[in-house]
Amino acid sequence: MAKPVEKLELQPKGGGFLETLRSMGPGLVVAFAWLGTGDLVDSSVSGANYGYDLMWVLCLALFCRYFFVNALAKYQLCNRHGDETIFHGFYRVWKGFPIVLGVSAYIMGFVYVSYMIRGAGVALHHLFGQAGNSFLWSLVGVGLAIYVTTRKRQLKALEFIARTACIVIILSFIYAIWNTGINAEAFIEGLSFGIPANNDAFGALLIAVSIIGAVGGSAANLLYPYLMNDKGWKGPRQRKLQIMDLLTGIVAIIVINLAIWIVAAETMYGQGQVIHNEVDLAAMMAQAVGPIGPVLLWITVFFVCFTSYPTFSVGFTKLLMHGVHLSTKRGEKYEKPEQDPRFKWFSIGGLLLVPLIFSMPFAPNLVTLTIVGNSLAVITAPIIILGIIFMTSRKSMMLPDYVNKWWENLILGIVGCIGLWATYSLLIVLIDKLG
């Protein structure tokens, strides 16, 4: 456990706008780790199969993500005990909390990485003239990920990839929107609450839950505080920079999701078509921008996937090992999760090599794998939110100026209720499918 501190510096770090801009990074890295194929597929399927009718779910999910992650970051920077990670706070709530979260997060990490590795393989397969098969290209993507995650200064490398990906994706879909246009009236109507009638294989409720899982997130939100730690952000003086950094990541997600959604709604939905698999995704882009469309799509898919699963393989293993170290005597041997000799086995073996099973020809297609995987993500959200409300609302755990105000607890409570609703809705969908 971290030692209590009597006084922490409360003044924000200076340096001006350019210095602040250069200092940001974790927000974009984790934004693209969150993005993955989840947002691309969910936004495409939603727009193609339901037009703008589920747009309100995207807004709700982004609302959840910002306040959820911001509360996690606030505890790590502004707790009164000098806890350097969010898991130390969860340990103070209940000694078994870290290992429960670590194991559940690692399982979800496996789910996320499985469809992201497949997505990268499918993208490379199409970009290189469909030479070989997508499984072989998934192997290539995993090899590149292993190289990145075993190099020094890996966060710097991932920040560079994230910034490049941001430019590529936004330009690709802005170009597509330029060609398709926007139905402003339908866009505004899509912000009104309501679940439309099911259209094709992916029911509206399943899509809504999947969006909340992909965009609102759950266990994946725990990665942001660890990336802050890697960046060296400690203490309240980094709080303003952290808020700006997180907002930058959220804005990037907003722009990209809206762009993808609009393109899908204006092409596929307008033509009465739906998206079942990755071939339909390519057809969507071909309608939007012509023959170059599929190429832009596969470049986008590769960037969002490759930006994600190297981060996840390291990040979710940190969550697992840190949870184990805090809740067992194994933590007495190693100061940091990365120092545990089992770390590489779990990060490379468990979260890069084993997930290749889902890139084999017999596995479900990319679209199905992504939607189902993101739906499962909502299950862990409520318990994490309850823990963070408890931690950030107690004067015994937070510095005086940073204890939650009543409205902050209200917002987090609303986020928790949304998580419970999504979990309940998922159970209803699963019971209906099994029945």
Side-chain angles (χ1 to χ4, degrees):
M1 294 291 295
K3 295 180 179 180
V5 293
E6 294 186 5
K7 185 177 181 180
L8 291 174
E9 184 179 355
L10 297 178
Q11 295 303 315
K13 185 178 180 180
F17 176 75
L18 291 178
E19 180 62 31
T20 298
L21 193 63
R22 283 193 294 267
S23 298
M24 290 192 289
L28 278 178
V29 172
V30 82
F32 279 86
W34 290 333
L35 185 67
T37 48
D39 295 54
L40 192 151
V41 169
D42 283 326
S43 293
S44 296
V45 172
S46 300
N49 296 16
Y50 296 100
Y52 293 105
D53 286 346
L54 290 172
M55 184 72 75
W56 64 271
V57 181
L58 175 64
C59 299
L60 192 66
L62 287 166
F63 168 86
C64 291
R65 167 149 277 165
Y66 176 76
F67 286 101
F68 188 178
V69 178
N70 201 42
L72 292 170
K74 182 169 79 166
Y75 179 83
Q76 186 158 305
L77 293 176
C78 307
N79 70 85
R80 70 183 307 140
H81 299 287
D83 291 344
E84 294 185 355
T85 70
I86 191 67
F87 267 35
H88 283 99
F90 285 120
Y91 181 86
R92 294 181 187 278
V93 177
W94 172 48
K95 291 183 179 180
F97 217 151
I99 195 168
V100 170
L101 287 181
V103 171
S104 60
Y106 188 82
I107 293 171
M108 285 312 308
F110 181 87
V111 173
Y112 294 139
V113 168
S114 295
Y115 67 70
M116 290 173 186
I117 288 175
R118 180 169 184 129
V122 167
L124 290 174
H125 176 59
H126 285 279
L127 285 172
F128 286 91
Q130 300 188 24
N133 58 54
S134 61
F135 175 69
L136 294 176
W137 287 108
S138 292
L139 284 172
V140 172
V142 167
L144 290 172
I146 292 173
Y147 176 80
V148 170
T149 56
T150 54
R151 300 296 96 185
K152 292 181 178 179
R153 300 172 66 83
Q154 62 187 26
L155 183 59
K156 284 288 184 183
L158 291 172
E159 284 177 7
F160 174 78
I161 295 171
R163 291 189 181 103
T164 305
C166 187
I167 295 170
V168 170
I169 297 168
I170 290 175
L171 290 179
S172 295
F173 279 92
I174 285 178
Y175 177 51
I177 292 172
W178 180 267
N179 284 276
T180 63
I182 303 174
N183 185 333
E185 183 178 352
F187 182 93
I188 294 172
E189 289 178 357
L191 298 177
S192 60
F193 291 84
I195 299 290
N198 290 341
N199 181 16
D200 205 66
F202 302 113
L205 189 58
L206 177 62
I207 294 296
V209 174
S210 187
I211 293 170
I212 292 173
V215 182
S218 56
N221 291 327
L222 295 170
L223 295 180
Y224 182 70
Y226 279 83
L227 287 172
M228 287 166 42
N229 212 25
D230 290 343
K231 189 76 172 181
W233 292 359
K234 297 179 181 179
R237 67 193 184 96
Q238 302 287 358
R239 176 66 172 157
K240 288 186 177 180
L241 177 60
Q242 173 267 307
I243 292 173
M244 291 180 63
D245 177 70
L246 181 59
L247 282 173
T248 301
I250 293 294
V251 168
I253 291 178
I254 291 172
V255 172
I256 292 169
N257 273 283
L258 287 179
I260 296 168
W261 198 307
I262 290 167
V263 171
E266 296 295 340
T267 54
M268 305 291 281
Y269 187 73
Q271 299 293 327
Q273 302 175 40
V274 295
I275 291 178
H276 294 102
N277 52 45
E278 50 264 34
V279 175
D280 296 329
L281 288 174
M284 174 189 77
M285 290 300 288
Q287 289 186 47
V289 298
I292 197 176
V295 176
L296 293 176
L297 172 74
W298 299 128
I299 291 173
T300 297
V301 170
F302 174 74
F303 267 115
V304 296
C305 289
F306 190 74
T307 306
S308 301
Y309 63 79
T311 305
F312 277 7
S313 69
V314 174
F316 280 106
T317 304
K318 280 187 178 180
L319 296 179
L320 172 67
M321 299 309 295
H322 198 193
V324 171
H325 287 182
L326 281 175
S327 299
T328 68
K329 292 183 178 180
R330 191 171 182 82
E332 298 174 3
K333 299 180 181 179
Y334 310 103
E335 184 179 351
K336 296 181 179 180
E338 303 93 312
Q339 295 172 348
D340 193 316
R342 296 180 183 177
F343 187 90
K344 287 187 178 180
W345 286 98
F346 280 101
S347 64
I348 295 176
L351 292 187
L352 287 179
L353 296 179
V354 177
L356 282 165
I357 295 171
F358 290 94
S359 293
M360 292 181 174
F362 59 78
N365 69 62
L366 177 61
V367 173
T368 300
L369 201 62
T370 301
I371 289 175
V372 173
N374 283 327
S375 299
L376 296 174
V378 301
I379 295 174
T380 57
I383 188 173
I384 301 174
I385 294 172
L386 285 174
I388 198 63
I389 291 175
F390 182 86
M391 291 153 56
T392 54
S393 62
R394 294 177 66 87
K395 295 180 180 180
S396 61
M397 299 186 74
M398 299 294 293
L399 290 169
D401 293 342
Y402 297 94
V403 178
N404 281 353
K405 308 292 190 297
W406 68 268
W407 57 268
E408 291 175 301
N409 284 328
L410 176 61
I411 289 174
L412 289 173
I414 292 171
V415 172
C417 290
I418 292 168
L420 288 171
W421 171 82
T423 303
Y424 171 77
S425 299
L426 175 62
L427 293 175
I428 294 296
V429 171
L430 292 177
I431 291 171
D432 182 61
K433 294 288 184 184
L434 293 174

Short mmCIF file of all heavy atoms in Angstrom, two decimals, residues 194-243:
data_model
loop_
_atom_site.label_atom_id
_atom_site.label_comp_id
_atom_site.label_asym_id
_atom_site.label_seq_id
_atom_site.Cartn_x
_atom_site.Cartn_y
_atom_site.Cartn_z
N GLY A 194 -35.74 6.42 -27.63
CA GLY A 194 -36.64 5.41 -28.17
C GLY A 194 -35.86 4.27 -28.80
O GLY A 194 -34.76 4.48 -29.33
N ILE A 195 -36.41 3.05 -28.72
CA ILE A 195 -35.80 1.88 -29.34
C ILE A 195 -36.65 1.49 -30.55
O ILE A 195 -37.83 1.14 -30.40
CB ILE A 195 -35.72 0.69 -28.36
CG1 ILE A 195 -34.86 1.06 -27.14
CG2 ILE A 195 -35.17 -0.55 -29.05
CD1 ILE A 195 -33.39 1.20 -27.43
N PRO A 196 -36.10 1.58 -31.76
CA PRO A 196 -36.89 1.24 -32.94
C PRO A 196 -37.15 -0.27 -33.04
O PRO A 196 -36.55 -1.07 -32.31
CB PRO A 196 -35.98 1.71 -34.09
CG PRO A 196 -34.60 1.64 -33.53
CD PRO A 196 -34.73 1.99 -32.08
N ALA A 197 -38.03 -0.64 -33.94
CA ALA A 197 -38.31 -2.06 -34.17
C ALA A 197 -37.06 -2.75 -34.73
O ALA A 197 -36.24 -2.12 -35.41
CB ALA A 197 -39.47 -2.21 -35.15
N ASN A 198 -36.89 -4.03 -34.40
CA ASN A 198 -35.72 -4.77 -34.86
C ASN A 198 -35.65 -4.80 -36.38
O ASN A 198 -36.67 -4.92 -37.07
CB ASN A 198 -35.74 -6.21 -34.34
CG ASN A 198 -35.50 -6.27 -32.84
OD1 ASN A 198 -34.97 -5.32 -32.25
ND2 ASN A 198 -35.88 -7.37 -32.21
N ASN A 199 -34.43 -4.68 -36.88
CA ASN A 199 -34.20 -4.70 -38.32
C ASN A 199 -33.06 -5.67 -38.59
O ASN A 199 -31.90 -5.38 -38.32
CB ASN A 199 -33.85 -3.30 -38.83
CG ASN A 199 -33.62 -3.29 -40.34
OD1 ASN A 199 -34.00 -4.22 -41.04
ND2 ASN A 199 -33.01 -2.22 -40.83
N ASP A 200 -33.39 -6.84 -39.11
CA ASP A 200 -32.39 -7.86 -39.48
C ASP A 200 -31.81 -8.56 -38.25
O ASP A 200 -32.39 -8.54 -37.17
CB ASP A 200 -31.29 -7.24 -40.35
CG ASP A 200 -30.62 -8.29 -41.23
OD1 ASP A 200 -31.32 -8.82 -42.11
OD2 ASP A 200 -29.44 -8.57 -41.02
N ALA A 201 -30.61 -9.15 -38.42
CA ALA A 201 -30.05 -10.07 -37.42
C ALA A 201 -29.72 -9.40 -36.09
O ALA A 201 -29.86 -10.00 -35.03
CB ALA A 201 -28.81 -10.74 -37.99
N PHE A 202 -29.27 -8.15 -36.14
CA PHE A 202 -28.85 -7.46 -34.92
C PHE A 202 -30.00 -6.61 -34.39
O PHE A 202 -30.31 -5.56 -34.95
CB PHE A 202 -27.61 -6.60 -35.21
CG PHE A 202 -26.45 -7.39 -35.76
CD1 PHE A 202 -26.02 -7.18 -37.04
CD2 PHE A 202 -25.80 -8.34 -34.98
CE1 PHE A 202 -24.95 -7.90 -37.56
CE2 PHE A 202 -24.74 -9.06 -35.48
CZ PHE A 202 -24.31 -8.85 -36.77
N GLY A 203 -30.63 -7.08 -33.32
CA GLY A 203 -31.76 -6.37 -32.75
C GLY A 203 -31.35 -5.00 -32.23
O GLY A 203 -30.21 -4.77 -31.84
N ALA A 204 -32.32 -4.08 -32.19
CA ALA A 204 -32.04 -2.70 -31.77
C ALA A 204 -31.53 -2.63 -30.34
O ALA A 204 -30.61 -1.85 -30.03
CB ALA A 204 -33.29 -1.84 -31.94
N LEU A 205 -32.11 -3.45 -29.45
CA LEU A 205 -31.68 -3.43 -28.05
C LEU A 205 -30.26 -3.94 -27.91
O LEU A 205 -29.46 -3.39 -27.14
CB LEU A 205 -32.64 -4.26 -27.19
CG LEU A 205 -32.45 -4.17 -25.67
CD1 LEU A 205 -32.59 -2.73 -25.20
CD2 LEU A 205 -33.45 -5.07 -24.95
N LEU A 206 -29.90 -5.00 -28.65
CA LEU A 206 -28.53 -5.52 -28.63
C LEU A 206 -27.55 -4.47 -29.13
O LEU A 206 -26.47 -4.29 -28.56
CB LEU A 206 -28.43 -6.79 -29.48
CG LEU A 206 -27.03 -7.41 -29.59
CD1 LEU A 206 -26.53 -7.85 -28.22
CD2 LEU A 206 -27.03 -8.59 -30.56
N ILE A 207 -27.92 -3.76 -30.20
CA ILE A 207 -27.05 -2.70 -30.73
C ILE A 207 -26.88 -1.59 -29.69
O ILE A 207 -25.78 -1.08 -29.47
CB ILE A 207 -27.63 -2.11 -32.03
CG1 ILE A 207 -27.62 -3.16 -33.14
CG2 ILE A 207 -26.83 -0.89 -32.47
CD1 ILE A 207 -26.26 -3.63 -33.56
N ALA A 208 -27.98 -1.20 -29.02
CA ALA A 208 -27.90 -0.15 -28.00
C ALA A 208 -26.96 -0.54 -26.88
O ALA A 208 -26.11 0.25 -26.45
CB ALA A 208 -29.30 0.15 -27.45
N VAL A 209 -27.09 -1.77 -26.39
CA VAL A 209 -26.21 -2.25 -25.31
C VAL A 209 -24.77 -2.32 -25.79
O VAL A 209 -23.83 -1.97 -25.07
CB VAL A 209 -26.68 -3.63 -24.80
CG1 VAL A 209 -25.69 -4.20 -23.80
CG2 VAL A 209 -28.05 -3.52 -24.16
N SER A 210 -24.57 -2.74 -27.05
CA SER A 210 -23.23 -2.84 -27.60
C SER A 210 -22.57 -1.47 -27.71
O SER A 210 -21.37 -1.31 -27.46
CB SER A 210 -23.27 -3.52 -28.97
OG SER A 210 -21.97 -3.77 -29.46
N ILE A 211 -23.35 -0.45 -28.08
CA ILE A 211 -22.81 0.92 -28.15
C ILE A 211 -22.38 1.39 -26.77
O ILE A 211 -21.30 1.98 -26.61
CB ILE A 211 -23.86 1.89 -28.75
CG1 ILE A 211 -24.13 1.56 -30.21
CG2 ILE A 211 -23.39 3.34 -28.63
CD1 ILE A 211 -25.32 2.30 -30.80
N ILE A 212 -23.22 1.14 -25.77
CA ILE A 212 -22.87 1.54 -24.41
C ILE A 212 -21.61 0.81 -23.95
O ILE A 212 -20.73 1.38 -23.31
CB ILE A 212 -24.04 1.28 -23.44
CG1 ILE A 212 -25.19 2.23 -23.76
CG2 ILE A 212 -23.60 1.47 -21.99
CD1 ILE A 212 -26.46 1.96 -22.98
N GLY A 213 -21.49 -0.48 -24.32
CA GLY A 213 -20.30 -1.23 -23.97
C GLY A 213 -19.06 -0.74 -24.68
O GLY A 213 -17.98 -0.63 -24.10
N ALA A 214 -19.21 -0.41 -25.98
CA ALA A 214 -18.06 0.03 -26.77
C ALA A 214 -17.66 1.46 -26.45
O ALA A 214 -16.48 1.78 -26.31
CB ALA A 214 -18.38 -0.08 -28.26
N VAL A 215 -18.65 2.35 -26.34
CA VAL A 215 -18.37 3.77 -26.16
C VAL A 215 -18.37 4.17 -24.69
O VAL A 215 -17.49 4.88 -24.21
CB VAL A 215 -19.39 4.63 -26.95
CG1 VAL A 215 -19.06 6.11 -26.82
CG2 VAL A 215 -19.39 4.23 -28.42
N GLY A 216 -19.40 3.71 -23.93
CA GLY A 216 -19.44 4.01 -22.50
C GLY A 216 -18.38 3.24 -21.76
O GLY A 216 -17.75 3.73 -20.82
N GLY A 217 -18.16 2.01 -22.20
CA GLY A 217 -17.06 1.21 -21.65
C GLY A 217 -17.32 0.68 -20.26
O GLY A 217 -18.35 0.92 -19.65
N SER A 218 -16.36 -0.07 -19.76
CA SER A 218 -16.44 -0.63 -18.41
C SER A 218 -15.04 -0.83 -17.91
O SER A 218 -14.36 0.12 -17.54
CB SER A 218 -17.23 -1.94 -18.43
OG SER A 218 -16.66 -2.85 -19.35
N ALA A 219 -14.56 -2.07 -17.97
CA ALA A 219 -13.22 -2.37 -17.48
C ALA A 219 -12.15 -1.61 -18.26
O ALA A 219 -11.10 -1.27 -17.72
CB ALA A 219 -12.97 -3.87 -17.55
N ALA A 220 -12.41 -1.32 -19.54
CA ALA A 220 -11.42 -0.61 -20.35
C ALA A 220 -11.14 0.79 -19.81
O ALA A 220 -10.07 1.35 -20.04
CB ALA A 220 -11.90 -0.52 -21.80
N ASN A 221 -12.11 1.35 -19.09
CA ASN A 221 -11.90 2.69 -18.52
C ASN A 221 -10.80 2.70 -17.46
O ASN A 221 -10.22 3.75 -17.18
CB ASN A 221 -13.21 3.20 -17.90
CG ASN A 221 -14.26 3.50 -18.95
OD1 ASN A 221 -13.94 3.91 -20.05
ND2 ASN A 221 -15.52 3.27 -18.62
N LEU A 222 -10.54 1.54 -16.86
CA LEU A 222 -9.50 1.46 -15.83
C LEU A 222 -8.10 1.66 -16.41
O LEU A 222 -7.15 1.88 -15.65
CB LEU A 222 -9.57 0.10 -15.12
CG LEU A 222 -10.84 -0.18 -14.32
CD1 LEU A 222 -10.87 -1.64 -13.88
CD2 LEU A 222 -10.93 0.74 -13.11
N LEU A 223 -7.97 1.59 -17.73
CA LEU A 223 -6.65 1.74 -18.35
C LEU A 223 -6.14 3.18 -18.29
O LEU A 223 -4.93 3.41 -18.21
CB LEU A 223 -6.69 1.29 -19.82
CG LEU A 223 -6.99 -0.18 -20.09
CD1 LEU A 223 -7.01 -0.45 -21.58
CD2 LEU A 223 -5.97 -1.07 -19.39
N TYR A 224 -7.05 4.14 -18.33
CA TYR A 224 -6.63 5.54 -18.40
C TYR A 224 -5.76 5.95 -17.20
O TYR A 224 -4.69 6.56 -17.40
CB TYR A 224 -7.84 6.46 -18.52
CG TYR A 224 -7.48 7.92 -18.64
CD1 TYR A 224 -6.88 8.42 -19.80
CD2 TYR A 224 -7.73 8.82 -17.61
CE1 TYR A 224 -6.55 9.76 -19.93
CE2 TYR A 224 -7.40 10.16 -17.72
CZ TYR A 224 -6.81 10.63 -18.88
OH TYR A 224 -6.47 11.95 -18.98
N PRO A 225 -6.15 5.64 -15.95
CA PRO A 225 -5.28 6.01 -14.83
C PRO A 225 -3.88 5.39 -14.91
O PRO A 225 -2.89 6.00 -14.50
CB PRO A 225 -6.04 5.47 -13.61
CG PRO A 225 -7.46 5.46 -14.03
CD PRO A 225 -7.42 5.07 -15.46
N TYR A 226 -3.79 4.18 -15.48
CA TYR A 226 -2.47 3.55 -15.60
C TYR A 226 -1.62 4.22 -16.67
O TYR A 226 -0.40 4.35 -16.52
CB TYR A 226 -2.64 2.05 -15.89
CG TYR A 226 -2.93 1.26 -14.64
CD1 TYR A 226 -4.23 1.17 -14.14
CD2 TYR A 226 -1.92 0.64 -13.93
CE1 TYR A 226 -4.51 0.48 -12.97
CE2 TYR A 226 -2.18 -0.06 -12.76
CZ TYR A 226 -3.48 -0.14 -12.29
OH TYR A 226 -3.74 -0.82 -11.14
N LEU A 227 -2.25 4.69 -17.74
CA LEU A 227 -1.51 5.44 -18.75
C LEU A 227 -1.06 6.79 -18.18
O LEU A 227 0.02 7.28 -18.51
CB LEU A 227 -2.38 5.65 -20.00
CG LEU A 227 -2.60 4.40 -20.87
CD1 LEU A 227 -3.63 4.68 -21.94
CD2 LEU A 227 -1.29 3.95 -21.50
N MET A 228 -1.88 7.39 -17.31
CA MET A 228 -1.46 8.61 -16.61
C MET A 228 -0.22 8.34 -15.78
O MET A 228 0.72 9.15 -15.75
CB MET A 228 -2.59 9.11 -15.69
CG MET A 228 -3.77 9.74 -16.39
SD MET A 228 -5.20 9.91 -15.27
CE MET A 228 -4.43 10.47 -13.78
N ASN A 229 -0.22 7.20 -15.11
CA ASN A 229 0.92 6.83 -14.28
C ASN A 229 2.18 6.65 -15.12
O ASN A 229 3.27 7.08 -14.75
CB ASN A 229 0.59 5.54 -13.51
CG ASN A 229 1.26 5.48 -12.16
OD1 ASN A 229 1.59 6.51 -11.58
ND2 ASN A 229 1.48 4.28 -11.65
N ASP A 230 2.03 5.99 -16.28
CA ASP A 230 3.16 5.82 -17.19
C ASP A 230 3.70 7.16 -17.68
O ASP A 230 4.89 7.30 -17.95
CB ASP A 230 2.74 4.97 -18.39
CG ASP A 230 2.49 3.51 -18.02
OD1 ASP A 230 2.94 3.09 -16.93
OD2 ASP A 230 1.84 2.79 -18.80
N LYS A 231 2.80 8.12 -17.81
CA LYS A 231 3.19 9.45 -18.26
C LYS A 231 3.88 10.25 -17.16
O LYS A 231 4.52 11.28 -17.41
CB LYS A 231 1.92 10.20 -18.73
CG LYS A 231 2.18 11.52 -19.44
CD LYS A 231 2.66 11.32 -20.86
CE LYS A 231 2.73 12.65 -21.61
NZ LYS A 231 3.17 12.49 -22.99
N GLY A 232 3.77 9.79 -15.92
CA GLY A 232 4.39 10.49 -14.79
C GLY A 232 3.50 11.53 -14.16
O GLY A 232 3.98 12.40 -13.41
N TRP A 233 2.18 11.46 -14.41
CA TRP A 233 1.25 12.43 -13.85
C TRP A 233 0.89 12.00 -12.43
O TRP A 233 0.23 10.97 -12.23
CB TRP A 233 -0.01 12.53 -14.69
CG TRP A 233 0.23 13.14 -16.04
CD1 TRP A 233 1.40 13.61 -16.54
CD2 TRP A 233 -0.76 13.33 -17.06
NE1 TRP A 233 1.23 14.09 -17.81
CE2 TRP A 233 -0.09 13.94 -18.16
CE3 TRP A 233 -2.11 13.06 -17.16
CZ2 TRP A 233 -0.75 14.27 -19.34
CZ3 TRP A 233 -2.77 13.39 -18.34
CH2 TRP A 233 -2.09 13.99 -19.41
N LYS A 234 1.27 12.81 -11.45
CA LYS A 234 0.99 12.50 -10.05
C LYS A 234 0.61 13.77 -9.31
O LYS A 234 1.22 14.81 -9.51
CB LYS A 234 2.21 11.85 -9.39
CG LYS A 234 2.62 10.51 -10.01
CD LYS A 234 3.84 9.93 -9.33
CE LYS A 234 4.24 8.61 -9.97
NZ LYS A 234 5.44 8.00 -9.35
N GLY A 235 -0.37 13.69 -8.46
CA GLY A 235 -0.74 14.81 -7.61
C GLY A 235 -1.74 15.75 -8.25
O GLY A 235 -1.93 15.78 -9.47
N PRO A 236 -2.40 16.58 -7.44
CA PRO A 236 -3.43 17.52 -7.90
C PRO A 236 -2.93 18.53 -8.92
O PRO A 236 -3.73 19.07 -9.68
CB PRO A 236 -3.87 18.22 -6.60
CG PRO A 236 -3.49 17.29 -5.51
CD PRO A 236 -2.24 16.61 -5.97
N ARG A 237 -1.64 18.83 -8.91
CA ARG A 237 -1.14 19.83 -9.88
C ARG A 237 -1.34 19.39 -11.33
O ARG A 237 -1.30 20.21 -12.25
CB ARG A 237 0.35 20.12 -9.61
CG ARG A 237 1.28 18.97 -9.89
CD ARG A 237 2.66 19.23 -9.29
NE ARG A 237 3.61 18.18 -9.61
CZ ARG A 237 4.47 18.25 -10.62
NH1 ARG A 237 4.48 19.31 -11.39
NH2 ARG A 237 5.30 17.26 -10.85
N GLN A 238 -1.55 18.09 -11.56
CA GLN A 238 -1.78 17.60 -12.93
C GLN A 238 -3.26 17.51 -13.29
O GLN A 238 -3.60 17.10 -14.39
CB GLN A 238 -1.15 16.20 -13.07
CG GLN A 238 0.34 16.13 -12.78
CD GLN A 238 1.17 16.75 -13.88
OE1 GLN A 238 0.63 17.21 -14.89
NE2 GLN A 238 2.48 16.78 -13.70
N ARG A 239 -4.13 17.90 -12.36
CA ARG A 239 -5.56 17.69 -12.58
C ARG A 239 -6.10 18.46 -13.79
O ARG A 239 -6.84 17.90 -14.61
CB ARG A 239 -6.33 18.10 -11.31
CG ARG A 239 -7.85 18.03 -11.39
CD ARG A 239 -8.35 16.62 -11.56
NE ARG A 239 -9.81 16.60 -11.45
CZ ARG A 239 -10.57 15.66 -11.96
NH1 ARG A 239 -10.04 14.66 -12.64
NH2 ARG A 239 -11.88 15.71 -11.82
N LYS A 240 -5.74 19.73 -13.93
CA LYS A 240 -6.24 20.51 -15.07
C LYS A 240 -5.76 19.94 -16.39
O LYS A 240 -6.51 19.86 -17.36
CB LYS A 240 -5.82 21.98 -14.92
CG LYS A 240 -6.56 22.72 -13.82
CD LYS A 240 -6.21 24.20 -13.81
CE LYS A 240 -7.01 24.95 -12.75
NZ LYS A 240 -6.67 26.39 -12.72
N LEU A 241 -4.48 19.55 -16.44
CA LEU A 241 -3.94 18.94 -17.65
C LEU A 241 -4.66 17.63 -17.96
O LEU A 241 -4.99 17.35 -19.12
CB LEU A 241 -2.44 18.69 -17.47
CG LEU A 241 -1.72 17.99 -18.64
CD1 LEU A 241 -1.83 18.80 -19.92
CD2 LEU A 241 -0.25 17.76 -18.28
N GLN A 242 -4.94 16.86 -16.92
CA GLN A 242 -5.63 15.58 -17.12
C GLN A 242 -7.03 15.80 -17.68
O GLN A 242 -7.47 15.06 -18.58
CB GLN A 242 -5.70 14.84 -15.78
CG GLN A 242 -6.54 13.57 -15.80
CD GLN A 242 -7.99 13.83 -15.38
OE1 GLN A 242 -8.23 14.40 -14.32
NE2 GLN A 242 -8.94 13.41 -16.19
N ILE A 243 -7.75 16.80 -17.18
CA ILE A 243 -9.10 17.08 -17.68
C ILE A 243 -9.05 17.46 -19.15
O ILE A 243 -9.86 16.96 -19.97
CB ILE A 243 -9.77 18.19 -16.85
CG1 ILE A 243 -10.06 17.70 -15.42
CG2 ILE A 243 -11.06 18.67 -17.51
CD1 ILE A 243 -10.57 18.77 -14.48
#
